[in-house]
Amino acid sequence: MRAPETRRSYSDSVAGYITVHEPAHERFGLRTTDGREFTVHLDGLLGSQIVRNLGEPPRDTSAATLDMLVEGRYVFVHGIFYEWTGGMRIEARTLTFPERRRGSYVFEDPDWWIRQAREIADFYLRGQFPDGIPDWRRFRTRLTLCGTHLPEFAGENVRQEADTISRLVYALATAYLLTGEDRYLEAAESGTEYLREHMRVTDDREGIVYWYHGIDITDSGRRKVFASEFGDDVDAIPMYEQIYALAGPTQTYRITGDPRIAEDIDRTVELFRRHFKDYVRGGYFSHLDPVTMDPRADTLGHNRARKNWNSIGDHAPAYLINAYLATGRADFADMLEETADTIVRHFPDESGSPFVQERFHEDWSPDRTWGWQQDRAVVGHNLKIAWNLMRIHSLVPKPEYRALAERIARRMPAVGSDRQRGGWYDVVERRPDPRFGDHRFVWHDRKAWWQQEQAILAYLILAGVTGDAEHRRLAREAASFYNAHFLDYQDGGVYFNVLANGIPYLLGTERLKGSHSMAGYHALELCYLAAAYGNLLLGGNPLTLHFRPLPGALPDRTLRVAPDLLPEDSVRLSRVWIDGEPHEDFDAKNLTVRLPPAPRRLRVRVEIEPADVPVRISGGREGRTARITCEGVLGRDSLEKLRRTLAEALADEPERVEFDMCRVTDIAREPINELLFQRTKTGLHVDFVIVGDAPPEVTRALAATDAFLTERHARCAAG
């Protein structure tokens, strides 16, 4: 008797690059990131869309779907999978394209991440302070999916955690850096004040500061919570909570230079040095007893005399790099170097696992029995190490930092990413299963928002520093998955987790958008640094940042404006405005601005650009006149940048578009054709005018089209 044939159907997704489109057979070929080939059938109801940003309307492209199936284009396919003994068929129902055209990824627009930052920051402002007044007494750690507070006096739901406040302060300060919009800085500064007034403990005898876990708000009053009450760290002072208490204030300090924040940073670092640091074997302990401040106290249980990733590596991204960027201090640089040295020395596990070791005993022997982690890997921690080693490498260029970062980056896709659907997993076993050869999931195959962030930033900075095309591809794939699946267009913000196929997972605490783990920090950190790396290291575009310092609070009235730790001489400070007026007293190479003496805070806007790019294209506007300034070689590879700048200039329906070509050294046929095409599309009521004394060969090439007016007497922009 024959066994019945096995048949099943299920919904799933697959992502990859189109290899061939066969319209006569209603199908196309797809190659996944690891090289597997699939055939996708189109004989059912089919829709398609282009990935959109938060705050944007849907980009439905269903009517043009078949024309978009171009070889080499990246696409997410959601559909029905049919399987039977010996075969499988995929019928597409929805296609999602992260590219407008092949090679034109939407999130590589210069302002994509800036617009996303604004939307996410506004989501949290609306949720925490619905009347628009940032009164942090009303802050709640937990925030619902739609951005509202949970009902009052529901026990733990009304706790204010210091770390969560600090993370939101970081997000708001970062939104100000990117946008210069006052509401973000007002909320960041008032949040910092709330932390200092209600969550800070000063010990003048030791010269240290430490931070409460939080405040419980009940119907009978407020109760400060000293030691942590989070499950992994209960009744202890965990290092990572003290680290993240500095995240928001330090980012605010970058903007304002407030000396009180500087003192808090110094005194908290002194806490780390006096009580957490192991001066015998190196590194920092992960927990202290709250009474004796002893990392070896028996009361700590499984956290006694332990070290981990958070106690060593989290210093750099949470506050230490930003403290160094704001001050340039040698002691902060030394601490960053010490952190990187410790990671390189102790974390790799070359013989046992492709993943780093994350937990240790006092003597640096691996701890493979601790709590939930056991011998398991958090995928995002590995990527976070690669990302931060590359940052510190720009400050302290030790070859071992880059070598470990690249080794991690090469290994992670095969063991930590979903190479069928896209995206990055959460926690897996550090060692492969001997039966199947892969690293088994610990709890689930869901994907968390913050682990996608680590992947995007790790591969972006690696691509920008090394020029490796494989790193660029992986960065694009990670950013594609995140922007296609994590943005909540209905309620705002980003989802905590999605299923393996990208559908949001909305149960339990993972339904929340505010929690012990989530408060806008990772989402805004991603927006800020993706904008910095994408524009300055990869896109050849400038980045604008905003500051609000009191000149007298800064040593020698010098404001440091470096966006991040980037390779030496890779960027330059090109323009500065103070209170809206151009300011010339700045150091382009060292990215510092000498402020004028003033008794009040100044509005400082700076433009930072790549140090060496073949072409610069920027836009501006005055009344009904749009201005586009070009510099360098306008070749075929500058088409996308020219097209994007033109689209922005024409969106406001100007009466006149002026092109400053004075510093264009050469122009190819394709940019000329693009200008001619757009000139035709706008109609005769809009003048396209070449202003200033452009090089003769450029003027002749444009004049030959008979489509442009010329005004040679007009002044070129200042060089």
Side-chain angles (χ1 to χ4, degrees):
M1 181 177 178
R2 292 181 58 190
E5 184 177 35
T6 300
R7 288 180 172 271
R8 68 184 187 123
S9 61
Y10 54 93
S11 297
D12 205 347
S13 65
V14 61
Y17 299 88
I18 297 168
T19 57
V20 63
H21 178 207
E22 302 176 83
H25 299 286
E26 296 185 299
R27 66 190 183 194
F28 66 90
L30 192 74
R31 184 181 64 255
T32 60
T33 189
D34 58 348
R36 288 175 293 149
E37 302 281 349
F38 289 87
T39 298
V40 179
H41 295 269
L42 306 169
D43 50 353
L45 294 173
L46 180 65
S48 70
Q49 60 189 344
I50 292 176
V51 171
R52 59 182 166 122
N53 210 343
L54 289 171
E56 293 181 351
R59 296 179 173 184
D60 185 270
T61 54
S62 298
T65 301
L66 298 183
D67 295 327
M68 298 170 70
L69 297 174
V70 178
E71 182 180 347
R73 194 167 187 174
Y74 193 63
V75 63
F76 295 99
V77 178
H78 291 259
I80 310 299
F81 286 57
Y82 297 94
E83 285 187 1
W84 59 90
T85 303
M88 182 180 74
R89 178 183 175 90
I90 302 173
E91 292 188 358
R93 292 295 179 266
T94 302
L95 305 181
T96 302
F97 296 93
E99 302 164 284
R100 294 186 192 86
R101 296 170 297 280
R102 181 174 52 190
S104 177
Y105 287 86
V106 295
F107 47 78
E108 291 179 354
D109 286 0
D111 64 344
W112 174 274
W113 296 103
I114 298 166
R115 288 183 279 124
Q116 190 172 122
R118 183 182 287 108
E119 292 290 329
I120 295 171
D122 283 343
F123 170 83
Y124 282 100
L125 279 181
R126 288 193 305 270
Q128 294 290 0
F129 315 114
D131 62 359
I133 301 173
D135 180 355
W136 290 83
R137 292 173 300 177
R138 295 182 297 157
F139 170 88
R140 299 294 180 263
T141 296
R142 295 194 174 191
L143 207 62
T144 67
L145 176 69
C146 59
T148 60
H149 291 160
L150 292 170
E152 290 290 284
F153 308 125
E156 63 185 9
N157 291 338
V158 294
R159 174 169 296 163
Q160 296 181 326
E161 291 188 20
D163 275 15
T164 317
I165 292 177
S166 181
R167 285 167 166 155
L168 181 53
V169 168
Y170 172 96
L172 296 167
T174 301
Y176 180 83
L177 273 171
L178 289 173
T179 68
E181 296 182 18
D182 288 341
R183 62 184 182 277
Y184 303 135
L185 183 57
E186 179 187 357
E189 289 194 282
S190 60
T192 298
E193 286 299 307
Y194 189 81
L195 283 169
R196 298 187 76 249
E197 182 177 351
H198 298 284
M199 305 286 194
R200 182 186 57 151
V201 181
T202 59
D203 185 335
D204 291 332
R205 289 178 302 176
E206 287 199 57
I208 63 173
V209 158
Y210 53 93
W211 305 83
Y212 284 120
H213 172 73
I215 297 174
D216 278 348
I217 301 172
T218 69
D219 50 5
S220 60
R222 291 171 173 246
R223 176 179 67 93
K224 292 189 177 182
V225 183
F226 176 30
S228 179
E229 294 194 1
F230 186 66
D232 292 345
D233 317 295
V234 67
D235 292 339
I237 299 177
M239 171 66 111
Y240 81 90
E241 287 193 2
Q242 300 299 308
I243 285 173
Y244 277 100
L246 289 178
T250 304
Q251 191 76 326
T252 306
Y253 175 64
R254 287 182 65 187
I255 299 167
T256 67
D258 187 335
R260 299 174 305 153
I261 301 175
E263 184 178 14
D264 287 342
I265 296 169
D266 283 339
R267 287 188 163 208
T268 308
V269 170
E270 185 63 21
L271 166 75
F272 301 154
R273 291 172 175 155
R274 282 179 176 264
H275 295 287
F276 283 96
K277 188 168 183 175
D278 183 348
Y279 284 92
V280 177
R281 298 179 177 89
Y284 295 86
F285 292 104
S286 62
H287 294 76
L288 299 180
D289 175 86
V291 177
T292 64
M293 308 288 271
D294 182 0
R296 301 179 182 87
D298 291 341
T299 54
L300 292 172
H302 69 169
N303 289 320
R304 179 187 178 277
R306 296 297 202 277
K307 301 165 184 174
N308 60 27
W309 151 253
N310 300 102
S311 70
I312 309 299
D314 264 348
H315 292 274
Y319 76 92
L320 191 51
I321 287 176
N322 290 324
Y324 175 78
L325 292 172
T327 64
R329 281 171 37 181
D331 57 334
F332 290 153
D334 292 343
M335 192 172 174
L336 283 166
E337 182 179 7
E338 177 190 13
T339 296
D341 286 345
T342 303
I343 290 171
V344 169
R345 185 178 303 118
H346 296 293
F347 281 64
D349 184 18
E350 299 299 339
S351 62
S353 172
F355 297 100
V356 300
Q357 180 68 45
E358 298 185 38
R359 292 188 181 270
F360 305 90
H361 295 283
E362 181 176 3
D363 63 359
W364 291 107
S365 59
D367 180 2
R368 294 179 178 142
T369 63
W370 185 93
W372 59 264
Q373 186 144 32
Q374 303 292 304
D375 194 19
R376 295 161 178 162
V378 181
V379 173
H381 287 169
N382 288 262
L383 297 164
K384 200 171 189 180
I385 287 173
W387 162 44
N388 282 284
L389 283 177
M390 291 304 296
R391 300 170 85 187
I392 299 172
H393 179 266
S394 291
L395 178 66
V396 187
K398 292 186 177 181
E400 56 266 35
Y401 298 171
R402 176 168 168 172
L404 179 55
E406 293 202 78
R407 191 155 66 245
I408 290 172
R410 288 194 303 270
R411 290 176 172 180
M412 282 304 102
V415 296
S417 73
D418 185 342
R419 296 195 289 176
Q420 174 180 315
R421 303 168 189 85
W424 291 77
Y425 292 120
D426 186 5
V427 181
V428 299
E429 299 292 345
R430 288 184 65 255
R431 302 174 192 278
D433 189 303
R435 298 167 298 174
F436 305 103
D438 57 0
H439 296 261
R440 310 295 282 180
F441 302 116
V442 173
W443 297 300
H444 52 68
D445 63 352
R446 299 195 289 275
K447 299 160 184 173
W449 93 106
W450 75 268
Q451 309 227 29
Q452 315 313 308
E453 179 217 3
Q454 308 308 313
I456 296 167
L457 295 182
Y459 287 107
L460 273 179
I461 196 169
L462 279 159
V465 173
T466 69
D468 190 303
E470 180 69 3
H471 294 324
R472 182 74 180 273
R473 180 178 70 86
L474 290 167
R476 282 172 159 169
E477 290 179 5
S480 295
F481 187 86
Y482 180 84
N483 283 288
H485 298 106
F486 277 88
L487 307 186
D488 184 349
Y489 304 114
Q490 180 173 336
D491 291 315
V494 299
Y495 296 114
F496 189 107
N497 260 354
V498 300
L499 299 174
N501 61 13
I503 295 175
Y505 180 80
L506 303 176
L507 295 176
T509 58
E510 292 167 59
R511 180 182 178 84
L512 301 177
K513 296 217 178 98
S515 65
H516 174 80
S517 305
M518 190 182 211
Y521 170 79
H522 286 293
L524 267 293
E525 180 181 58
L526 171 60
C527 290
Y528 175 73
L529 290 172
Y533 302 157
N535 284 315
L536 297 174
L537 297 182
L538 293 165
N541 300 306
L543 178 71
T544 299
L545 297 178
H546 302 264
F547 299 85
R548 198 82 164 81
L550 178 65
L554 300 174
D556 199 31
R557 299 198 313 275
T558 297
L559 176 67
R560 297 175 179 272
V561 299
D564 195 46
L565 293 178
L566 300 175
E568 187 176 7
D569 296 329
S570 62
V571 298
R572 62 187 292 271
L573 179 56
S574 56
R575 291 193 288 176
V576 177
W577 298 263
I578 294 182
D579 291 341
E581 297 296 324
H583 180 72
E584 302 300 331
D585 191 359
F586 63 87
D587 186 326
K589 175 181 171 62
N590 292 311
L591 288 87
T592 59
V593 180
R594 181 72 186 279
L595 301 175
R600 56 179 176 78
R601 292 168 63 176
L602 304 174
R603 294 182 182 274
V604 181
R605 175 164 55 99
V606 303
E607 183 180 87
I608 299 163
E609 66 178 10
D612 184 23
V613 292
V615 62
R616 293 182 174 89
I617 304 173
S618 60
R621 187 174 181 85
E622 184 175 330
R624 302 296 296 170
T625 297
R627 291 192 174 90
I628 296 176
T629 302
C630 302
E631 180 179 353
V633 178
L634 279 177
R636 183 172 185 175
D637 55 358
S638 63
L639 263 181
E640 190 61 37
K641 188 180 296 187
L642 178 62
R643 188 176 289 138
R644 188 167 53 232
T645 308
L646 272 169
E648 292 170 358
L650 296 173
D652 293 330
E653 299 181 350
E655 296 174 355
R656 175 184 171 98
V657 183
E658 294 182 352
F659 296 87
D660 178 348
M661 300 279 187
C662 295
R663 292 186 297 280
V664 173
T665 56
D666 195 12
I667 187 167
R669 169 52 54 187
E670 291 86 355
I672 293 174
N673 286 347
E674 178 66 27
L675 292 171
L676 184 58
F677 176 72
Q678 294 295 340
R679 173 69 187 88
T680 305
K681 296 281 284 185
T682 54
L684 295 176
H685 63 285
V686 180
D687 291 331
F688 274 36
V689 185
I690 308 300
V691 300
D693 193 15
E697 59 273 20
V698 173
T699 302
R700 283 195 298 270
L702 292 168
T705 66
D706 200 27
F708 303 95
L709 302 175
T710 58
E711 292 183 2
R712 298 178 66 89
H713 64 277
R715 294 181 60 189
C716 293

